[in-house]
């Protein structure tokens, strides 16, 4: 039985899709372990996968939700890079330990976060590795790097920015790469050299998002494929909490509001803003607490919930407002409901712009604009349009039907079968 190690690190959206993928590979007869942070161990084990711990859990670094609210301004790029470098430096040794646990590993499946380090493990262990990113990362003229804010720089500028983005990532991983290679007894090699060796090997890179949102760029080299989403696993008999079911049954479809792992410590302010916008738009709402600690006093028209599967909740919504992480953006489309995008940072403006260009979302409202005097009015107008505009719902429904025809996990399973036979 081939022994597969999936390695993913980051927040919930960086990890949960690999539980569904792992469950598919498990059903195909593989032994599957998922290496990730301790906080996700119950999720991993519930999917039937072996759990192996990784350090550097970002949830232990999140702001205290009881701390006083701060201005709604995302972290600057320099601050993000500094924190990211510290994060990946912790990961290297943990990945090496995870790969050598149990009976070992025959194949590595790597997320975008773990791939620059995992390729060193594959070299040291003389086993194949397959990159499975959730966002596009290779340079292309079709669009600028996903972390650049979603604005095109023209075909030449987009490609140049894409190459620069790869160099930034190489520098980000330089210290962690050097320490890991020394630990593994490998000769020195820069992250750029390791990456180029992997590219020269010609092994496919399978991207876990849909061409409904991002068509495969024609100028990508062969082997870079867009296969469709991998959806988070949950038990087939999972139901929404009874209080939520009762709330849904008590009136017309509400709208969903949540910021996932964003906006830590701003729950009270955002909750108040959300309730005022809902009341102005004359809509009911479901607030998901998330890392922000989003909350509101329970009323007949507003309910606060903890984590619930999006594929069970979103289809029952009139619209969804969220930060536009890759997984949440896809989940809204999968449900066939319009989106109000409120991107915060990183790749979120990219996905927000994609949803809007598809005609399945209102014009994005940058998160920092929620501190403006007219924030309630802007949110109310966007929520009202998303919940009532038939054109938005029609285009979201069309996207949902196209997504339903895809089998991203099946595409990975077929590639894994070729690599392990």
């Amino acid at each position: 039985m081939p022994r597969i190690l999936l390695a993913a690190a980051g927040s919930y959206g960086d990890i949960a899709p690999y539980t569904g993928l792992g469950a598919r590979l498990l059903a195909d007869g593989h032994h599957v372990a998922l290496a990730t942070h301790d906080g996700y161990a119950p999720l991993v084990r519930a999917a039937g996968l072996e759990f192996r711990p990784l350090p550097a859990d970002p949830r232990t670094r999140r702001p205290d939700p009881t701390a006083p609210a701060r201005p709604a301004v995302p972290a600057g790029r320099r601050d993000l890079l500094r924190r990211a470098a510290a994060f990946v430096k912790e990961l290297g040794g943990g990945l090496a330990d995870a790969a050598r646990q149990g009976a070992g590993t025959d194949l590595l499946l790597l997320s975008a976060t773990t791939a620059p380090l995992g390729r060193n493990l594959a070299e040291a262990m003389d086993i194949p590795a397959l990159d499975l990113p959730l966002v596009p990362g290779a340079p292309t003229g079709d669009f600028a790097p996903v972390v650049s804010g979603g604005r095109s720089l023209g075909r030449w500028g987009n490609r140049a920015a894409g190459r620069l983005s790869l160099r930034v990532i190489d520098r980000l991983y330089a210290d962690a790469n050097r320490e890991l290679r020394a630990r593994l007894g490998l000769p020195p090699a820069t992250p750029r050299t390791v990456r180029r060796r992997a590219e020269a090997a010609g092994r496919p890179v399978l991207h876990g998002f849909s061409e409904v949102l991002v068509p495969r760029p024609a100028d990508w080299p062969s082997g870079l494929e867009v296969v469709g989403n991998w959806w988070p696993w949950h038990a087939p008999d999972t139901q929404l909490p009874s209080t939520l079911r009762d709330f849904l049954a008590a009136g017309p479809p509400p709208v969903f509001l949540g910021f996932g792992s964003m906006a830590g410590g701003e729950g009270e302010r955002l909750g108040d803003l959300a309730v005022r916008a809902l009341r102005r738009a004359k809509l009911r709402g479901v607030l998901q607490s998330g890392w922000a600690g989003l909350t509101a006093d329970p009323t007949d028209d507003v309910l606060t919930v903890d984590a619930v599967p999006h594929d069970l909740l979103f289809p029952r919504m009139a619209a969804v407002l969220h930060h536009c992480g890759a997984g949440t953006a896809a989940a809204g489309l999968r449900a066939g409901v319009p989106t109000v995008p409120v991107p915060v940072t990183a790749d979120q403006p990219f996905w927000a712009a994609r949803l809007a260009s598809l005609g399945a979302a209102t014009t994005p409202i940058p998160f920092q604009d929620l501190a403006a005097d007219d924030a309630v009015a802007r949110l109310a107008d966007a929520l009202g349009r998303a919940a009532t505009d038939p054109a938005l719902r029609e285009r979201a429904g069309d996207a949902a039907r196209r997504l339903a025809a895809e089998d991203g996990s099946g595409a990975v399973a077929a590639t894994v079968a070729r690599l392990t036979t």
Side-chain angles (χ1 to χ4, degrees), residues 14-336:
D14 301 310
I15 293 154
Y18 296 99
T19 62
L21 175 59
R24 170 59 186 268
L25 296 173
L26 186 68
D28 286 351
H30 303 287
H31 177 275
V32 185
L34 176 51
T36 189
H37 312 299
D38 285 335
Y40 299 106
L43 181 67
V44 172
R45 291 179 176 132
L49 313 177
E50 178 190 347
F51 170 75
R52 298 184 187 177
L54 287 183
D57 188 342
R59 296 192 302 179
T60 65
R61 297 173 167 81
R62 78 183 199 183
D64 180 356
T66 65
R70 59 190 186 283
V73 178
R77 193 156 297 170
R78 181 176 297 178
D79 183 51
L80 285 174
L81 289 173
R82 178 186 57 79
R83 287 188 287 169
F87 172 73
V88 300
K89 197 168 183 180
E90 285 188 61
L91 278 180
L95 277 172
D97 292 338
R100 299 183 186 282
Q101 283 183 27
T105 301
D106 300 312
L107 171 65
L108 283 171
L109 303 182
L110 304 168
S111 72
T113 306
T114 59
L117 299 169
R119 295 177 193 129
N120 297 298
L121 289 177
E123 178 184 344
M125 300 173 70
D126 194 24
I127 59 174
L130 186 62
D131 285 15
L132 303 176
L134 298 173
V135 297
T140 175
D142 288 4
F143 46 82
V146 296
V147 295
S148 66
R151 184 179 61 184
S152 177
L153 305 172
R155 295 199 65 83
W156 182 89
N158 289 340
R159 281 191 289 266
R163 291 190 292 269
L164 176 61
S165 179
L166 290 181
R167 290 197 291 271
V168 170
I169 293 171
D170 290 340
R171 289 198 297 270
L172 183 68
Y173 280 82
D175 290 345
N177 185 82
R178 182 174 57 253
E179 291 182 6
L180 180 58
R181 290 187 70 84
R183 170 176 173 167
L184 297 172
L186 296 173
T190 66
R192 179 174 181 268
T193 298
V194 175
R195 171 171 55 81
R196 291 202 160 185
R197 286 175 185 166
E199 294 167 353
R203 188 162 289 124
V205 176
L206 307 182
H207 294 80
F209 53 84
S210 173
E211 288 201 82
V212 173
L213 272 179
V214 186
R216 182 190 183 279
D219 60 354
W220 270 6
S222 62
L224 301 185
E225 304 298 338
V226 178
V227 301
N229 292 89
W230 312 310
W231 305 107
W233 182 91
H234 63 77
D237 59 352
T238 301
Q239 295 187 7
L240 297 174
S242 59
T243 53
L244 178 53
R245 297 200 305 270
D246 292 343
F247 178 80
L248 294 172
V255 297
F256 168 91
L257 302 96
F259 292 95
S261 59
M262 297 290 105
E266 299 197 52
E268 184 175 350
R269 181 184 73 84
L270 292 173
D272 176 70
L273 185 66
V275 170
R276 290 163 60 199
L278 288 167
R279 300 251 166 88
R280 181 168 178 145
K282 297 181 171 56
L283 294 168
R284 302 200 312 146
V286 174
L287 278 56
Q288 189 167 57
S289 56
W291 286 17
L294 198 65
T295 187
D297 293 333
T299 63
D300 291 341
D301 57 353
V302 178
L303 180 70
T304 301
V305 299
D306 292 322
V308 293
H310 286 163
D311 64 329
L312 298 182
L313 179 61
F314 281 9
R316 304 188 64 175
M317 299 293 103
V320 292
L321 178 153
H322 54 73
H323 61 299
C324 277
T328 314
L333 272 191
R334 186 189 192 192

Side-chain angles (χ1 to χ4, degrees), residues 360-371:
T362 59
T363 301
I365 301 173
F367 180 77
Q368 58 265 35
D369 288 3
L370 297 189

Side-chain angles (χ1 to χ4, degrees), residues 331-359:
L333 272 191
R334 186 189 192 192
V337 297
T339 297
V340 177
V342 186
V344 182
T345 189
D347 61 327
Q348 296 157 20
F350 174 84
W351 297 110
R354 287 281 158 170
L355 287 171
S357 67
L358 191 64

